[in-house]
Amino acid sequence: MRESTAEGTFGVGGQDASGRGRSRGRRAAPKSADTTPTGRRRKAGARRRPRAGAGPLGAALAPAAGAARTGLRRLRPAYPRPGRGGWRRWIPSWRQWLGVCLYAFTGLSCFVAIAYAVTDIPDDLNSFATQQDNVYYWADGSTMARTGWVSRQEMPLEKVPPKVQGAVLAAENASFYSDPGVSPSGVLRALRATVTGGETQGGSTITQQYVKNAYLSQDRTLSRKFTELLLALKLDNQKDKKDILRDYLNTSWFGRGTYGIQRASQAYYGKDVSQLNASEGAFLASLLKGAGLFDPAVSANNRERAVERWNWILDRMVVTGHLSAAERATYTKFPEPSATSLAGVPGAQTGYLVEMAKAYAVKAGHIKESDFDLGGYQIYTTFDKGRMEALTTAVQQAQKDFDAEKRPETDKYARIGAASVAPDGRLLAVYGGPDYLKQGFNQANATTIPIGTAFTPIVYAAALDEGVVRTRGKARTPVSPSTVYDGNDQVAVQTPEGPYWDRGGKVVKGHNDGDRNWGQVTLRQAVADSVNTPMLQLGLDVGLDRVEAFAERSGLLASSLGPRIPTFALGENSTPSAIRMAGAYETFAAGGMHTDPYSVRSATRGGAAVPLDPPKPTRAVSASTARAVTDALKLAVTDGSAKTAARARPGTAGKTGTTAANTAGWFVASTEQESTAVVVYRMALTDLIPLPLTGLGGDAPGTPGSERAVRLWSDYVRAVK
């Protein structure tokens, strides 16, 4: 029994299950060992199963299996850590920390690489980055007005002085030309500020700032910052550094409602960026850090900050090599910017000027209106600031006599239009209305008021140039200033076939102002004294078609000329504007050469000139005819219908204009410097029907409206230097 027990407990050869040797005489098992027949059979079965590694194949596979189990154990993280007690079991080892960091770095690198590959630079920039304003200038180069909801003007980099560029680089990104478009240290500071909600930190490169300005929003979020970095890297790889700097300078916010360094230069120093020096450039560069904190016009604290940063930027420019120490030493006085900003939205009178200049620039420059509205144009107008002020003052002084509340029947809807044109066609001054923002209707450019007898010098010029025909079949007969016509009232108008009959079957007769009979008068006197009947007949003798052609050559628009009936010669049905009438009279003053009035002398965009097709002078009438007409107009001022004008400016050549229904009072006159047309009338803008001027401003009945026009013109030319 003992031997059986020992054999059942130990294997052959005296080894136990683990292979260690045992003494044969040692007790085999405790008393509790299973010695039943069933137990012995189970033990025997156990002896019959081969042990691991038994046999040749098992011996060969055993090491491999063990190695596999060991590798699996190594791959599986031993976490919580064995052999550690309490909270120490949960602290990863340095190997585990290293593994986590390696996994995270690899994953992040793959994510960034994929994100960079799929990120494209947007085709469309932010709306304000493409929108610009159009700036209009007076004839002397000073700013008149700007239009557009974004105050920005693009300028090529070569127009920005190198030292001004250096000031920006020294202040914002000294390593701009060598960095990859991003600043790691700046990124970390920005991320920390974004996560913690702290104060925004500097450190973004110029490329990053441009990307944020041009493509992204100003939101402080991680996703926006991440996109900014990717776009900055890609933009730096795809775009030239100078182009990035140019675009940055053209889109950055500088305060005072301006974007871009060009508009900033105009807002703070009243000049183009090309005229800035290093000291002024250093101040503008300081605004990039926060215009609201460094504009001296805001507060005394702002000025202290501005001076401090200005000094720092100049010193920094020496360090970065953009400024020599010797030149830095010369900048000891802070370049005080102006207290005022840019001229704003056009209003009052400038609104009318801007509207005319835009229309002319689009037409003469062959610019699409949609392109013009995108902005970026600099429009240099012909308008003289001093003359504009003098003309506006004269009109406002004349309007003081109008009182629509006390005299609604005579003064309501009273209006004045006026314009001055230089001998070469330049528009010098225009009075368009009380306020462009309230009334867009331009009273100086309106073609709604009959010109009246101010038209007769054109009839006179046509007769002197073309001659007349009084008998059918006869050749044209020359006339001269001394040719005599019947100046009596109620003279019947004659054609080569006989009297001229109207559609009602009545003979058309001429009518002089005041029913006056002048007797036989020369054509020169008829023009000077505004005698109607000779001019009415002269128009038919010349031929109304020829008179019309002369009017168009003198600058009047065909659309403003009335039907060719006898009263056409007296301007009863023709409605040229004050601007066009001033241009027509300038034809005579310019020796018969006419140049259409124009309002823009030059235009640029982005520093490059915009080609314009300016009007060219053309021969309208012969020089001898122009001299004869001018002589008659001078007589009108000295001895004729416009005597009161002689006291204002000796040597003036001018003519009054009235209509049969007294619905308009004109005075058109030329001096050596300009021709000016003034019209006084009454008209509601709802129906555009001229109303009589009788009793206007308390005038006695029978007072022609042309007297007010003469007085207004006199006040204007006295004020013009």
Side-chain angles (χ1 to χ4, degrees):
M1 178 66 71
R2 185 179 298 162
E3 183 178 352
S4 297
T5 302
E7 189 176 10
T9 306
F10 300 104
V12 176
Q15 292 183 342
D16 63 14
S18 63
R20 290 191 295 270
R22 293 284 184 175
S23 173
R24 285 182 180 269
R26 191 172 182 181
R27 190 166 183 163
K31 291 180 178 180
S32 60
D34 189 358
T35 57
T36 63
T38 303
R40 286 195 296 269
R41 284 195 299 271
R42 186 165 57 248
K43 300 291 184 180
R47 287 199 304 270
R48 285 195 295 270
R49 284 197 297 268
R51 297 188 304 273
L57 182 59
L61 293 177
R69 287 194 297 272
T70 303
L72 289 173
R73 285 195 300 269
R74 290 177 179 173
L75 289 175
R76 290 197 302 267
Y79 192 81
R81 297 176 64 188
R84 297 288 190 276
W87 59 269
R88 292 184 178 85
R89 300 174 60 217
W90 304 97
I91 303 300
S93 67
W94 68 270
R95 290 186 180 86
Q96 290 170 330
W97 278 117
L98 179 61
V100 170
C101 291
L102 289 175
Y103 280 124
F105 177 78
T106 303
L108 182 61
S109 298
C110 293
F111 173 74
V112 171
I114 294 172
Y116 178 84
V118 300
T119 298
D120 293 324
I121 298 175
D123 294 329
D124 298 328
L125 280 68
N126 287 337
S127 58
F128 77 88
T130 54
Q131 179 73 40
Q132 303 180 60
D133 60 351
N134 295 316
V135 185
Y136 297 81
Y137 300 90
W138 294 103
D140 63 4
S142 60
T143 302
M144 179 172 71
R146 65 177 181 86
T147 59
W149 65 274
V150 171
S151 179
R152 190 177 74 86
Q153 294 261 294
E154 287 189 358
M155 290 295 286
L157 191 61
E158 56 267 22
K159 295 287 185 179
V160 182
K163 290 179 181 178
V164 176
Q165 297 180 39
V168 173
L169 295 175
E172 294 296 311
N173 188 186
S175 63
F176 170 72
Y177 281 105
S178 60
D179 64 39
V182 298
S183 168
S185 60
V187 170
L188 292 177
R189 287 196 298 270
L191 288 175
R192 182 177 61 186
T194 301
V195 172
T196 61
E199 183 180 355
T200 302
Q201 299 293 310
S204 294
T205 64
I206 282 176
T207 306
Q208 289 175 251
Q209 293 180 55
Y210 169 67
V211 165
K212 181 176 63 174
N213 292 340
Y215 299 110
L216 306 175
S217 69
Q218 303 298 312
D219 296 337
R220 293 174 56 192
T221 62
L222 288 174
S223 61
R224 200 276 297 160
K225 191 66 179 179
F226 181 66
T227 305
E228 173 192 310
L229 297 176
L230 294 178
L231 287 175
L233 288 169
K234 182 155 285 189
L235 191 69
D236 191 82
N237 287 331
Q238 296 182 6
K239 201 169 185 178
D240 186 83
K241 285 282 192 179
K242 289 186 176 181
D243 292 340
I244 296 175
L245 180 58
R246 175 201 63 203
D247 294 341
Y248 170 73
L249 291 174
N250 282 328
T251 57
S252 294
W253 169 254
F254 284 87
R256 294 195 180 183
T258 64
Y259 289 92
I261 197 166
Q262 165 71 355
R263 301 298 280 126
S265 177
Q266 294 168 338
Y268 289 93
Y269 292 110
K271 54 187 175 182
D272 286 347
V273 64
S274 60
Q275 300 173 320
L276 294 176
N277 59 33
S279 178
E280 295 164 336
F283 166 71
L284 293 184
S286 71
L287 297 171
L288 293 168
K289 188 174 178 64
L293 297 174
F294 295 94
D295 184 353
V298 175
S299 67
N301 290 335
N302 270 23
R303 189 183 185 282
E304 292 179 6
R305 282 190 291 265
V307 172
E308 181 181 357
R309 186 155 178 81
W310 167 76
N311 274 307
W312 179 85
I313 291 175
L314 289 175
D315 292 339
R316 179 71 174 157
M317 289 176 68
V318 176
V319 175
T320 59
H322 293 104
L323 194 65
S324 67
E327 186 174 1
R328 167 63 183 98
T330 63
Y331 296 126
T332 57
K333 185 178 179 181
F334 179 66
E336 295 286 353
S338 64
T340 59
S341 187
L342 293 167
V345 177
Q349 289 305 300
T350 57
Y352 300 107
L353 309 185
V354 164
E355 193 65 25
M356 287 187 290
K358 174 188 174 181
Y360 180 80
V362 169
K363 179 181 178 181
H366 304 286
I367 304 169
K368 292 182 180 179
E369 192 160 356
S370 57
D371 292 340
F372 191 88
D373 289 340
L374 288 176
Y377 290 90
Q378 298 84 41
I379 309 300
Y380 297 90
T381 74
T382 60
F383 298 113
D384 184 289
K385 188 175 182 179
R387 281 180 165 81
M388 272 298 303
E389 292 175 350
L391 183 59
T392 301
T393 301
V395 173
Q396 292 174 344
Q397 184 65 32
Q399 288 175 330
K400 290 182 179 180
D401 292 339
F402 306 154
D403 194 331
E405 293 184 0
K406 290 183 178 180
R407 296 183 294 270
E409 296 298 322
T410 60
D411 289 13
K412 192 175 182 180
Y413 305 126
R415 304 184 188 281
I416 296 175
S420 288
V421 178
D424 58 0
R426 288 176 294 118
L427 265 172
L428 301 177
V430 169
Y431 182 85
D435 191 334
Y436 178 77
L437 297 179
K438 298 178 181 178
Q439 176 192 297
F441 179 78
N442 189 336
Q443 296 168 185
N445 204 29
T447 55
T448 53
I449 304 302
I451 180 61
T453 53
F455 185 77
T456 56
I458 294 175
V459 180
Y460 181 47
L464 295 177
D465 252 19
E466 296 284 327
V468 298
V469 175
R470 293 181 176 176
T471 305
R472 180 171 293 280
K474 299 293 184 178
R476 303 191 73 82
T477 303
V479 296
S480 70
S482 59
T483 299
V484 176
Y485 268 70
D486 189 344
N488 288 319
D489 190 46
Q490 298 293 325
V491 175
V493 177
Q494 300 290 323
T495 71
E497 288 79 17
Y500 187 97
W501 300 81
D502 63 17
R503 293 184 178 181
K506 295 182 179 180
V507 175
V508 175
K509 296 181 180 181
H511 177 68
N512 292 327
D513 290 341
D515 302 329
R516 180 176 177 179
N517 291 314
W518 291 82
Q520 298 295 304
V521 296
T522 64
L523 292 179
R524 177 174 180 263
Q525 183 184 356
V527 172
D529 288 329
S530 198
V531 185
N532 293 340
T533 52
M535 304 311 298
L536 188 67
Q537 182 62 55
L538 185 64
L540 285 180
D541 291 348
V542 175
L544 298 180
D545 56 341
R546 292 174 181 266
V547 173
E548 183 179 42
F550 261 75
E552 292 182 23
R553 289 208 297 270
S554 299
L556 303 190
L557 300 177
S559 60
S560 69
L561 300 176
R564 287 181 291 191
I565 58 177
T567 53
F568 177 79
L570 299 180
E572 289 291 337
N573 301 306
S574 295
T575 57
S577 67
I579 293 174
R580 287 289 173 174
M581 282 307 298
Y585 272 52
E586 191 55 59
T587 301
F588 306 129
M593 300 298 294
H594 173 73
T595 305
D596 272 344
Y598 64 97
S599 56
V600 178
R601 53 190 175 87
S602 64
T604 60
R605 192 174 195 273
V610 176
L612 297 177
D613 290 337
K616 298 178 180 179
T618 58
R619 173 65 63 183
V621 298
S622 65
S624 59
T625 293
R627 287 193 296 270
V629 174
T630 300
D631 175 67
L633 295 177
K634 286 184 177 180
L635 182 64
V637 173
T638 56
D639 298 314
S641 61
K643 291 180 182 179
T644 55
R647 294 191 295 270
R649 183 68 61 88
T652 296
K655 176 75 173 67
T656 57
T658 57
T659 62
N662 192 28
T663 55
W666 287 82
F667 183 60
V668 189
S670 298
T671 65
E672 293 181 357
Q673 294 80 23
E674 62 198 347
S675 287
T676 302
V678 179
V679 56
V680 179
Y681 62 100
R682 291 176 62 226
M683 186 181 70
L685 298 183
T686 54
D687 54 22
L688 301 182
I689 297 176
L691 301 172
L693 297 178
T694 304
L696 177 66
D699 287 341
T703 303
S706 58
E707 288 192 7
R708 287 190 174 276
V710 172
R711 290 199 299 270
L712 192 157
W713 176 88
S714 300
D715 291 342
Y716 164 61
V717 296
R718 288 192 188 100
V720 172
K721 304 299 182 181

